[in-house]
């Protein structure tokens, strides 16, 4: 199933325009429309006084055009009357001042009063529209944690954190031991004495910070679950989803998804995400109009795993946006390419943001498929082309298991964020480097949590897995696959301590080494090594490792410290390999386990969905895609310029 959608705000436009909008959506091949996620003030102009007439009419117009509807609960933007009546629902900043009304996401998700109000408006909505035949899915809130709005430093949040800690540890002495509070006389007499880990003169206790991150994640999940339970009760059989964001780790999406969603949706903005990541400036410049070739693909594969095979793109960039440091116009063809790339990675739905550019308020410079004056925008014309192509495209199977699995772990992300030890060590950027190297070998990747079933994969990579727990080590010990681990793996316990046996901790059962020292590398420090005939350097991070017993040292640095070690089906890289060296090593490993690789350029990518192969060209140079002679071309030709794609079935 491959369908198109769009985000629409009927409350922004005159009602006499709605029928034309709906008709034009259907004509361009759109099947799903998301509405209402910011419209609380129109649904309930005054407390307890509902006005559903406009929403009834909007749903009727869209339904009459044959469109299916995704309804969003409006809890990301509580209205003025509610904030005025209940000032306690406003989130509190770290400096003790509350957020003010006049934007979005100003609420305190720890507020019991606000949660009751969210339950009330969600119940009112779903009781009215939950059985409507055209309302096929519900989105909770919008981009939870966006603008760094999960932490609130309110009294309710503090009390909630203290209760969470009491439930986790039971005894304050256990917490003091787990946190190492004997250091700097940080021991607490009671859970009620513990405050937020902010506004300390130097670093807060990393264990304190980690538990605070865990607490915040649990509360985000509970906030969503409250709405999801109401929706499931009153709208059985409809999909429940939330729109996550790209390269965003404020909460554990895997845990969020376990009982809370049917579909993992996410918002894809390739240009803006390229600008906002800690990529080298030359990379940002190279991909300024296309987006980095793996920025969105990485999240496609991540959220396919989060959704247990089901994912939607709820917001797909349709032109220049307004929220990155720089917001260029996409190169010709890229809006079309991004849509097809989403389908190639298994998306059931690609939904553009938005139908029409808003002529007022904060997002005036955020483009849509249509101009504010109406009529398709220059990039909206590409959306029209996708609709036409999709009508001609044969049915494609859902993604089958990829050749390679990658382990993504939210707690590892938090641990590395809390204690980077070097300005340039970024957990997600490290995983993206490995992901890019694998994709440049023409391989497809499933991104999975540490507790996933890894059977059936020939190769499993964990670029950084900070806590290597016993269940994972047991999986490795029983596996026939080749496991590749990178630096900082097993470097901490779940309490944020260095393991008693030294890193990599429990992983020593299958990789008997000890990490004796670590160093974060400034750009001028680039230790050299040679792996399987390929010379290169490590950057950003290196570990000085002592092998134990019969561990094989596959490569050493100039100063004789090991660069790459192996025992049986496990290899361990002791540094952040530069791109060419990393790609060479991963290619050697892929060939060893019998994977077929295709060496691709920096801007060339292949993706497989069922029996269909897609080729995408991000680069300025023309590329002859590797289309077999006997293949049936489904889209395009084998010769691809920038922003072009093709698809074939053998």
């Amino acid at each position: 199933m491959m369908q198109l959608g769009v985000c629409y705000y009927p409350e922004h436009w005159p009602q006499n325009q709605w029928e034309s909008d709906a008709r034009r959506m259907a004509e361009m091949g759109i099947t799903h429309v998301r509405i209402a996620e910011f419209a609380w003030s129109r649904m309930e102009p005054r407390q307890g006084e509902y006005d559903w007439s406009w929403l009834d009419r909007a749903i009727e117009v869209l339904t009459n055009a044959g469109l299916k509807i995704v309804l969003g609960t409006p809890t990301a933007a509580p209205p003025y009357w509610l904030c005025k009546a209940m000032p306690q629902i406003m989130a509190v900043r770290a400096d003790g001042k509350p957020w003010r009304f006049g934007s979005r996401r100003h609420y305190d998700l720890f507020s019991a009063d606000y949660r009751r109000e969210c339950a009330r408006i969600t119940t009112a909505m779903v009781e009215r529209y939950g059985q409507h035949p055209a309302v096929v899915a519900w989105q909770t809130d919008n981009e939870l944690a966006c603008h760094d709005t999960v932490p609130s430093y309110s009294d309710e949040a503090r009390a909630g954190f203290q209760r969470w800690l009491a439930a986790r540890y039971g005894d304050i002495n256990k917490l003091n031991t787990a946190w190492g509070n004997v250091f700097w006389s940080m021991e607490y007499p009671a859970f009620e004495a513990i405050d937020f880990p902010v506004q300390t003169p130097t670093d807060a206790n990393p264990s304190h910070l980690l538990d605070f991150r865990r607490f915040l994640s649990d509360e985000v999940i509970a906030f969503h679950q409250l709405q999801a339970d109401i929706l499931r009760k009153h709208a059985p059989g409809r999909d429940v989803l939330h729109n996550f964001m790209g390269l965003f780790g404020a909460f554990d999406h895997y845990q969020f998804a376990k009982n809370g969603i049917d579909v993992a949706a996410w918002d894809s903005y390739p240009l803006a995400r390229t600008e906002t990541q800690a990529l080298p400036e030359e990379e940002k410049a190279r991909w300024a109009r296309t987006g980095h070739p793996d920025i969105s693909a990485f999240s496609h594969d991540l959220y396919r795993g989060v959704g247990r095979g089901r994912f939607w793109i709820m917001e797909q960039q349709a032109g220049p946006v307004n929220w990155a440091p720089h917001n260029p116009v996409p190169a010709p063809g890229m809006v079309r390419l991004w849509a097809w790339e989403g389908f190639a990675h298994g998306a059931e739905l690609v939904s553009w943001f938005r139908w029409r550019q808003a002529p007022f308020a904060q997002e005036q410079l955020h483009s849509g498929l249509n101009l504010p004056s109406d009529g398709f925008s220059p990039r909206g014309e590409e959306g029209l082309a996708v609709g036409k192509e999709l009508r001609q495209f044969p049915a494609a199977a859902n993604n089958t298991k990829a050749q390679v699995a990658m382990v993504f772990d939210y707690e590892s992300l938090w641990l590395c964020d809390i204690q980077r030890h070097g300005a340039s060590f970024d957990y997600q950027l490290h995983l993206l480097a490995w992901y890019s190297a694998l994709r440049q070998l023409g391989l497809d990747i499933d991104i999975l949590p540490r507790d996933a079933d890894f059977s059936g994969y020939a190769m499993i990579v964990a670029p950084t897995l900070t806590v290597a727990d016993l269940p994972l080590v047991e999986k490795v010990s029983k596996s026939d696959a080749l496991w590749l681990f990178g630096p900082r793996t097993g470097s901490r316990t779940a309490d944020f301590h260095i393991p008693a046996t030294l890193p990599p901790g429990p992983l020593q059962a299958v990789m008997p080494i000890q990490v004796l020292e670590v160093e974060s590398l400034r750009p001028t420090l680039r230790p050299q090594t040679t792996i399987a005939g390929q010379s290169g350097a490590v950057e950003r991070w290196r570990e000085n490792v002592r092998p134990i017993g019969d561990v094989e040292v596959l490569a050493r640095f100039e100063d004789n410290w090991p660069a790459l070690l192996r025992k049986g089906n496990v290899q361990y890289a002791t540094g952040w390999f530069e791109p060419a060296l990393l790609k060479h090593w991963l290619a050697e490993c892929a060939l060893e386990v019998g994977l077929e690789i295709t060496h691709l350029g920096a801007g060339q990518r292949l993706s497989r969905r069922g029996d269909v192969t897609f080729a995408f060209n991000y680069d300025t140079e023309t590329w002859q895609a590797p289309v077999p002679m006997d293949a049936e071309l489904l889209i395009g030709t084998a010769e691809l310029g920038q922003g072009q794609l093709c698809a074939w079935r053998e």
Side-chain angles (χ1 to χ4, degrees), residues 297-338:
F298 182 91
S299 291
H300 293 332
D301 291 343
L302 171 66
Y303 288 120
R304 191 178 65 247
V306 169
R308 300 171 298 279
R310 295 193 66 195
F311 87 97
W312 294 2
I313 303 168
M314 200 68 256
E315 298 181 17
Q316 176 62 63
Q317 184 171 353
V321 301
N322 69 315
W323 51 267
H326 308 285
N327 296 288
V329 171
M334 291 309 302
V335 168
R336 170 177 171 260
L337 182 150
W338 293 329

Short mmCIF file of all heavy atoms in Angstrom, two decimals, residues 297-338:
data_model
loop_
_atom_site.label_atom_id
_atom_site.label_comp_id
_atom_site.label_asym_id
_atom_site.label_seq_id
_atom_site.Cartn_x
_atom_site.Cartn_y
_atom_site.Cartn_z
N ALA A 297 16.51 8.95 5.12
CA ALA A 297 16.50 7.49 5.00
C ALA A 297 16.74 6.82 6.35
O ALA A 297 16.11 5.81 6.69
CB ALA A 297 17.55 7.04 3.99
N PHE A 298 17.67 7.38 7.14
CA PHE A 298 17.95 6.84 8.47
C PHE A 298 16.68 6.81 9.31
O PHE A 298 16.36 5.81 9.96
CB PHE A 298 19.03 7.68 9.15
CG PHE A 298 19.44 7.19 10.51
CD1 PHE A 298 20.48 6.29 10.65
CD2 PHE A 298 18.80 7.63 11.65
CE1 PHE A 298 20.87 5.84 11.91
CE2 PHE A 298 19.16 7.18 12.91
CZ PHE A 298 20.21 6.29 13.04
N SER A 299 15.93 7.92 9.30
CA SER A 299 14.70 7.96 10.10
C SER A 299 13.61 7.08 9.52
O SER A 299 12.80 6.51 10.26
CB SER A 299 14.22 9.41 10.23
OG SER A 299 15.10 10.17 11.04
N HIS A 300 13.55 6.95 8.19
CA HIS A 300 12.60 5.99 7.61
C HIS A 300 12.84 4.60 8.20
O HIS A 300 11.90 3.91 8.63
CB HIS A 300 12.78 5.90 6.09
CG HIS A 300 12.41 7.14 5.33
ND1 HIS A 300 11.48 8.04 5.77
CD2 HIS A 300 12.85 7.60 4.13
CE1 HIS A 300 11.36 9.02 4.88
NE2 HIS A 300 12.18 8.77 3.88
N ASP A 301 14.10 4.18 8.19
CA ASP A 301 14.42 2.83 8.67
C ASP A 301 14.24 2.70 10.18
O ASP A 301 13.83 1.65 10.68
CB ASP A 301 15.84 2.45 8.26
CG ASP A 301 15.98 2.25 6.76
OD1 ASP A 301 14.95 2.07 6.08
OD2 ASP A 301 17.12 2.28 6.25
N LEU A 302 14.56 3.78 10.90
CA LEU A 302 14.35 3.76 12.35
C LEU A 302 12.87 3.62 12.68
O LEU A 302 12.47 2.75 13.48
CB LEU A 302 14.89 5.06 12.97
CG LEU A 302 14.55 5.29 14.44
CD1 LEU A 302 15.22 4.25 15.34
CD2 LEU A 302 14.94 6.69 14.89
N TYR A 303 12.02 4.43 12.06
CA TYR A 303 10.61 4.41 12.42
C TYR A 303 9.88 3.20 11.84
O TYR A 303 8.86 2.79 12.41
CB TYR A 303 9.95 5.73 12.02
CG TYR A 303 10.40 6.85 12.93
CD1 TYR A 303 11.06 7.96 12.44
CD2 TYR A 303 10.22 6.75 14.31
CE1 TYR A 303 11.50 8.97 13.29
CE2 TYR A 303 10.66 7.74 15.16
CZ TYR A 303 11.31 8.85 14.64
OH TYR A 303 11.75 9.83 15.50
N ARG A 304 10.41 2.61 10.79
CA ARG A 304 9.86 1.32 10.37
C ARG A 304 10.06 0.29 11.46
O ARG A 304 9.19 -0.55 11.72
CB ARG A 304 10.53 0.87 9.07
CG ARG A 304 9.84 -0.34 8.42
CD ARG A 304 10.48 -0.75 7.10
NE ARG A 304 11.84 -1.23 7.26
CZ ARG A 304 12.92 -0.60 6.80
NH1 ARG A 304 12.80 0.54 6.17
NH2 ARG A 304 14.12 -1.12 6.99
N GLY A 305 11.22 0.35 12.14
CA GLY A 305 11.46 -0.54 13.28
C GLY A 305 10.61 -0.17 14.48
O GLY A 305 10.08 -1.05 15.16
N VAL A 306 10.48 1.12 14.76
CA VAL A 306 9.65 1.56 15.89
C VAL A 306 8.20 1.09 15.69
O VAL A 306 7.54 0.64 16.64
CB VAL A 306 9.72 3.09 16.04
CG1 VAL A 306 8.66 3.60 17.01
CG2 VAL A 306 11.10 3.52 16.51
N GLY A 307 7.72 1.18 14.46
CA GLY A 307 6.34 0.79 14.16
C GLY A 307 6.16 -0.68 13.85
O GLY A 307 5.09 -1.08 13.36
N ARG A 308 7.19 -1.48 14.11
CA ARG A 308 7.13 -2.93 13.87
C ARG A 308 6.69 -3.21 12.43
O ARG A 308 5.85 -4.07 12.16
CB ARG A 308 6.19 -3.60 14.88
CG ARG A 308 6.62 -3.42 16.33
CD ARG A 308 5.59 -3.91 17.33
NE ARG A 308 4.34 -3.17 17.22
CZ ARG A 308 4.12 -1.98 17.77
NH1 ARG A 308 5.06 -1.37 18.44
NH2 ARG A 308 2.94 -1.38 17.63
N GLY A 309 7.28 -2.47 11.49
CA GLY A 309 7.02 -2.67 10.08
C GLY A 309 6.09 -1.65 9.46
O GLY A 309 6.04 -1.53 8.24
N ARG A 310 5.34 -0.91 10.28
CA ARG A 310 4.38 0.07 9.76
C ARG A 310 4.84 1.49 10.08
O ARG A 310 5.02 1.84 11.24
CB ARG A 310 2.99 -0.15 10.36
CG ARG A 310 2.31 -1.46 10.01
CD ARG A 310 0.84 -1.38 10.40
NE ARG A 310 0.11 -0.39 9.61
CZ ARG A 310 -1.09 0.10 9.92
NH1 ARG A 310 -1.68 -0.30 11.04
NH2 ARG A 310 -1.68 0.98 9.15
N PHE A 311 5.02 2.29 9.02
CA PHE A 311 5.31 3.70 9.28
C PHE A 311 4.72 4.58 8.19
O PHE A 311 4.55 4.16 7.05
CB PHE A 311 6.81 3.94 9.47
CG PHE A 311 7.61 4.20 8.22
CD1 PHE A 311 7.91 5.50 7.83
CD2 PHE A 311 8.09 3.15 7.43
CE1 PHE A 311 8.66 5.75 6.69
CE2 PHE A 311 8.85 3.39 6.30
CZ PHE A 311 9.13 4.70 5.93
N TRP A 312 4.37 5.81 8.60
CA TRP A 312 3.88 6.86 7.71
C TRP A 312 4.82 8.05 7.82
O TRP A 312 5.45 8.27 8.86
CB TRP A 312 2.48 7.33 8.10
CG TRP A 312 1.37 6.34 7.96
CD1 TRP A 312 1.45 5.03 7.56
CD2 TRP A 312 -0.02 6.58 8.24
NE1 TRP A 312 0.22 4.44 7.57
CE2 TRP A 312 -0.71 5.37 7.99
CE3 TRP A 312 -0.73 7.69 8.68
CZ2 TRP A 312 -2.09 5.26 8.16
CZ3 TRP A 312 -2.10 7.58 8.86
CH2 TRP A 312 -2.78 6.38 8.59
N ILE A 313 4.87 8.83 6.77
CA ILE A 313 5.48 10.15 6.84
C ILE A 313 4.33 11.14 6.94
O ILE A 313 3.60 11.36 5.98
CB ILE A 313 6.36 10.44 5.61
CG1 ILE A 313 7.43 9.36 5.47
CG2 ILE A 313 6.99 11.82 5.72
CD1 ILE A 313 8.17 9.39 4.15
N MET A 314 4.15 11.70 8.13
CA MET A 314 2.98 12.55 8.37
C MET A 314 3.18 13.95 7.82
O MET A 314 2.23 14.60 7.40
CB MET A 314 2.71 12.62 9.88
CG MET A 314 1.31 13.06 10.24
SD MET A 314 0.02 11.86 9.81
CE MET A 314 -0.70 12.61 8.36
N GLU A 315 4.43 14.41 7.83
CA GLU A 315 4.75 15.71 7.24
C GLU A 315 6.00 15.54 6.37
O GLU A 315 7.07 15.22 6.88
CB GLU A 315 5.01 16.76 8.32
CG GLU A 315 3.82 17.05 9.22
CD GLU A 315 4.12 18.12 10.28
OE1 GLU A 315 5.12 18.85 10.11
OE2 GLU A 315 3.36 18.20 11.26
N GLN A 316 5.85 15.75 5.07
CA GLN A 316 6.98 15.68 4.15
C GLN A 316 7.23 17.06 3.57
O GLN A 316 6.31 17.73 3.10
CB GLN A 316 6.69 14.69 3.01
CG GLN A 316 7.77 14.61 1.95
CD GLN A 316 9.10 14.14 2.52
OE1 GLN A 316 9.22 13.03 3.02
NE2 GLN A 316 10.12 15.01 2.48
N GLN A 317 8.47 17.48 3.63
CA GLN A 317 8.84 18.80 3.12
C GLN A 317 8.40 18.96 1.67
O GLN A 317 8.67 18.12 0.82
CB GLN A 317 10.35 19.00 3.25
CG GLN A 317 10.83 20.37 2.84
CD GLN A 317 12.30 20.60 3.17
OE1 GLN A 317 12.93 19.78 3.82
NE2 GLN A 317 12.84 21.73 2.73
N ALA A 318 7.74 20.10 1.40
CA ALA A 318 7.19 20.35 0.06
C ALA A 318 7.79 21.59 -0.59
O ALA A 318 7.28 22.08 -1.59
CB ALA A 318 5.67 20.50 0.14
N GLY A 319 8.88 22.09 -0.04
CA GLY A 319 9.53 23.30 -0.54
C GLY A 319 10.38 23.88 0.56
O GLY A 319 10.68 23.21 1.56
N PRO A 320 10.80 25.14 0.45
CA PRO A 320 11.59 25.73 1.54
C PRO A 320 10.78 25.84 2.82
O PRO A 320 9.57 26.06 2.78
CB PRO A 320 11.97 27.11 0.99
CG PRO A 320 10.95 27.41 -0.05
CD PRO A 320 10.58 26.08 -0.65
N VAL A 321 11.46 25.68 3.95
CA VAL A 321 10.79 25.80 5.25
C VAL A 321 11.32 27.05 5.97
O VAL A 321 12.07 27.84 5.38
CB VAL A 321 10.96 24.53 6.10
CG1 VAL A 321 10.39 23.32 5.37
CG2 VAL A 321 12.43 24.28 6.46
N ASN A 322 10.94 27.22 7.23
CA ASN A 322 11.22 28.48 7.90
C ASN A 322 12.02 28.36 9.18
O ASN A 322 12.34 29.37 9.80
CB ASN A 322 9.89 29.17 8.25
CG ASN A 322 9.13 28.43 9.34
OD1 ASN A 322 9.02 27.21 9.30
ND2 ASN A 322 8.61 29.16 10.31
N TRP A 323 12.39 27.15 9.63
CA TRP A 323 12.85 27.01 11.01
C TRP A 323 14.31 26.60 11.18
O TRP A 323 14.80 26.50 12.31
CB TRP A 323 11.96 26.03 11.76
CG TRP A 323 11.73 24.70 11.11
CD1 TRP A 323 10.69 24.36 10.29
CD2 TRP A 323 12.53 23.51 11.23
NE1 TRP A 323 10.79 23.05 9.89
CE2 TRP A 323 11.90 22.50 10.46
CE3 TRP A 323 13.69 23.22 11.92
CZ2 TRP A 323 12.43 21.22 10.34
CZ3 TRP A 323 14.21 21.92 11.82
CH2 TRP A 323 13.58 20.94 11.03
N ALA A 324 15.04 26.38 10.09
CA ALA A 324 16.45 26.04 10.22
C ALA A 324 17.30 27.32 10.16
O ALA A 324 16.81 28.39 9.81
CB ALA A 324 16.85 25.09 9.09
N PRO A 325 18.60 27.23 10.48
CA PRO A 325 19.45 28.42 10.37
C PRO A 325 19.48 29.00 8.96
O PRO A 325 19.60 30.21 8.78
CB PRO A 325 20.84 27.89 10.77
CG PRO A 325 20.57 26.70 11.62
CD PRO A 325 19.33 26.09 11.07
N HIS A 326 19.40 28.14 7.95
CA HIS A 326 19.32 28.56 6.55
C HIS A 326 18.26 27.69 5.89
O HIS A 326 18.18 26.48 6.15
CB HIS A 326 20.66 28.39 5.84
CG HIS A 326 21.81 29.04 6.58
ND1 HIS A 326 22.01 30.39 6.60
CD2 HIS A 326 22.79 28.49 7.33
CE1 HIS A 326 23.07 30.67 7.33
NE2 HIS A 326 23.56 29.53 7.79
N ASN A 327 17.46 28.27 4.99
CA ASN A 327 16.32 27.55 4.43
C ASN A 327 16.26 27.71 2.91
O ASN A 327 15.43 28.46 2.38
CB ASN A 327 15.02 28.06 5.08
CG ASN A 327 14.98 27.76 6.57
OD1 ASN A 327 14.83 26.62 6.98
ND2 ASN A 327 15.15 28.79 7.38
N PRO A 328 17.16 27.02 2.19
CA PRO A 328 17.18 27.14 0.73
C PRO A 328 16.00 26.44 0.07
O PRO A 328 15.31 25.61 0.67
CB PRO A 328 18.49 26.47 0.34
CG PRO A 328 18.77 25.51 1.45
CD PRO A 328 18.23 26.15 2.69
N VAL A 329 15.79 26.79 -1.19
CA VAL A 329 14.80 26.12 -2.01
C VAL A 329 15.36 24.76 -2.44
O VAL A 329 16.53 24.66 -2.83
CB VAL A 329 14.46 26.97 -3.25
CG1 VAL A 329 13.59 26.21 -4.24
CG2 VAL A 329 13.77 28.27 -2.82
N PRO A 330 14.58 23.68 -2.37
CA PRO A 330 15.09 22.38 -2.82
C PRO A 330 15.48 22.39 -4.29
O PRO A 330 14.89 23.11 -5.10
CB PRO A 330 13.91 21.43 -2.57
CG PRO A 330 13.05 22.12 -1.57
CD PRO A 330 13.21 23.58 -1.83
N ALA A 331 16.47 21.59 -4.63
CA ALA A 331 16.84 21.43 -6.03
C ALA A 331 15.67 20.83 -6.81
O ALA A 331 14.85 20.09 -6.25
CB ALA A 331 18.07 20.52 -6.14
N PRO A 332 15.58 21.15 -8.10
CA PRO A 332 14.49 20.57 -8.90
C PRO A 332 14.47 19.04 -8.78
O PRO A 332 15.51 18.38 -8.85
CB PRO A 332 14.85 21.02 -10.32
CG PRO A 332 15.63 22.28 -10.15
CD PRO A 332 16.41 22.07 -8.88
N GLY A 333 13.29 18.50 -8.60
CA GLY A 333 13.10 17.05 -8.51
C GLY A 333 13.13 16.49 -7.12
O GLY A 333 12.69 15.35 -6.90
N MET A 334 13.63 17.25 -6.14
CA MET A 334 13.84 16.65 -4.82
C MET A 334 12.53 16.38 -4.08
O MET A 334 12.43 15.40 -3.35
CB MET A 334 14.75 17.52 -3.97
CG MET A 334 16.19 17.56 -4.44
SD MET A 334 16.96 15.94 -4.72
CE MET A 334 16.79 15.16 -3.13
N VAL A 335 11.53 17.23 -4.24
CA VAL A 335 10.25 16.96 -3.56
C VAL A 335 9.66 15.65 -4.08
O VAL A 335 9.12 14.85 -3.31
CB VAL A 335 9.29 18.15 -3.76
CG1 VAL A 335 7.87 17.79 -3.32
CG2 VAL A 335 9.79 19.36 -2.97
N ARG A 336 9.77 15.43 -5.36
CA ARG A 336 9.33 14.15 -5.94
C ARG A 336 10.20 13.01 -5.43
O ARG A 336 9.69 11.95 -5.03
CB ARG A 336 9.40 14.24 -7.47
CG ARG A 336 9.20 12.93 -8.20
CD ARG A 336 9.21 13.13 -9.71
NE ARG A 336 9.23 11.88 -10.45
CZ ARG A 336 10.33 11.34 -10.99
NH1 ARG A 336 11.51 11.95 -10.86
NH2 ARG A 336 10.25 10.19 -11.64
N LEU A 337 11.52 13.20 -5.44
CA LEU A 337 12.42 12.14 -5.01
C LEU A 337 12.17 11.77 -3.55
O LEU A 337 12.11 10.57 -3.21
CB LEU A 337 13.88 12.59 -5.20
CG LEU A 337 14.97 11.57 -4.84
CD1 LEU A 337 16.21 11.79 -5.71
CD2 LEU A 337 15.38 11.63 -3.37
N TRP A 338 12.01 12.76 -2.67
CA TRP A 338 11.80 12.45 -1.24
C TRP A 338 10.55 11.61 -1.04
O TRP A 338 10.52 10.73 -0.18
CB TRP A 338 11.69 13.74 -0.44
CG TRP A 338 12.95 14.54 -0.37
CD1 TRP A 338 14.24 14.07 -0.39
CD2 TRP A 338 13.05 15.97 -0.27
NE1 TRP A 338 15.13 15.12 -0.31
CE2 TRP A 338 14.43 16.29 -0.22
CE3 TRP A 338 12.12 17.00 -0.20
CZ2 TRP A 338 14.89 17.61 -0.12
CZ3 TRP A 338 12.57 18.32 -0.09
CH2 TRP A 338 13.93 18.61 -0.06
#
